[in-house]
Amino acid sequence: MSTRAAALPPRTLIGRFRDLSPRLSGATAFDRLVAVCGALAGIGLTGYLSSAIVFHGLHASIPLLVAPIGASSVLLFAVPASPMAQPWSIIGGNTLSALVGVAVGRLVHDPMLAAALAVALAIGVMSAMRCLHPPGGAAALTAILGGPAVTSAGFTFAFVPMALNCVVLVAIGWLFHKVSRHSYPHRPGPVAVGTHGTSDRPAPVRVGFQAEDITGALADLGETYDIDPDDLDRLLRQVETRAFERRHGELLCAEIMSRDVVHIEAAARTGTAIALLLDHDVRTLPVIDGSRRVVGIIGLRELARPGRDVGALMSVPTITQAHLPAAALIAPLTDGRNHAVVVVDHEGRLAGIVTQTDLLAAVAGTTT
């Protein structure tokens, strides 16, 4: 053991420092710029709007913008997907913690003991109410050590300015993320559901790891991570997909697609479409216009609806191009809705089709 340790290169001071610096997964320079602009707008407008809303003379000595809001803005604008940055976490966490701080301050007269109790109890209350929010500790502490203006306000402090600041900040954050195209309030990706009206889970989640595996792994590690379990499930499945695409990235759609594709024009009658499906024993037909551009796809599912023309019944097709990796078609061809992906050229004209059978045969060939 000591021999192997001696063989390792010496750790530099910079290397040791990097070990201590946190890394924010998924963050880009643009995201950081958005966070800076968001905090600038959020804090500025929160202070201005809070002062405009509050009636003059109602505890006029209370600050209308409190320090914990600055910490809340870091979470809201820098990591909006965090469970601790959601509206209930910000509003409930800060408000309940402030109430706890005021109550402890009235019962315990030793400032240091009161501060410790307030923060500890605030963590307990936030955890019980499912609104854990780190700045809540600062809110509880402010209620104890905020000075005469805060302590004289009593429980009013928890609502004005604390809750008021939080509500205004969350409203600004919601509007800001709407404009910057970030998901807020953040909702985990939709859980895959069966598309056939049965109790079976869909194919992509029927194999591989399960939700109980994630729960068990978190228990094994004994750590608390700032990520929703559903987000973690979606992330891990995306990792699996990307790893599969990397391993099979050399297989292109052009190598496995059918080129002599049975198709139909949008102006054709539904009877013609049914005849083509049955005569050629296929499940779907690409629908093209007069220039051979793909405008839709139609199968027996669409033809079961009332209508005389193919163009009125066709669905939006899932398309790809011949030079792209075939492994990328795993997701669309296992979602329970698509039986085929249409291959088009750079002008959108029909070039081929890849069916579930084509992909399965190709994957089986590359793994044997």
Side-chain angles (χ1 to χ4, degrees), residues 123-191:
I123 293 174
V125 170
M126 287 189 292
S127 298
M129 298 302 294
R130 301 176 66 86
C131 58
L132 191 63
H133 186 61
L141 205 59
T142 302
I144 300 293
L145 306 177
V150 172
T151 55
S152 63
F155 289 103
T156 301
F157 167 74
F159 301 100
V160 179
M162 185 61 71
L164 176 62
N165 282 179
C166 292
V167 170
V168 174
L169 182 69
V170 166
I172 295 169
W174 174 82
L175 182 61
F176 183 86
H177 287 306
K178 197 84 170 176
V179 174
S180 64
R181 299 184 182 278
H182 282 80
S183 170
Y184 191 83
H186 177 71
R187 295 177 180 84
V191 179

Side-chain angles (χ1 to χ4, degrees), residues 199-279:
S199 59
D200 285 329
R201 289 177 293 182
V205 299
R206 203 180 303 157
V207 297
F209 66 86
Q210 304 297 317
E212 54 268 26
D213 297 325
I214 296 178
T215 303
L218 291 172
D220 292 340
L221 294 174
E223 298 286 351
T224 300
Y225 296 93
D226 188 14
I227 183 171
D228 188 283
D230 288 338
D231 278 331
L232 187 57
D233 184 298
R234 185 185 183 195
L235 173 63
L236 292 176
R237 294 192 188 279
Q238 185 63 26
V239 169
E240 284 188 332
T241 299
R242 291 186 67 88
F244 184 90
E245 292 175 1
R246 175 175 48 79
R247 291 195 300 269
H248 300 277
E250 69 282 356
L251 184 67
L252 303 180
C253 293
E255 300 176 58
I256 68 171
M257 70 183 190
S258 301
R259 299 172 187 272
D260 184 14
V261 184
V262 182
H263 57 275
I264 193 168
E265 293 192 358
R269 297 291 187 176
T270 56
T272 304
I274 294 173
L276 284 172
L277 289 170
L278 296 177
D279 290 346

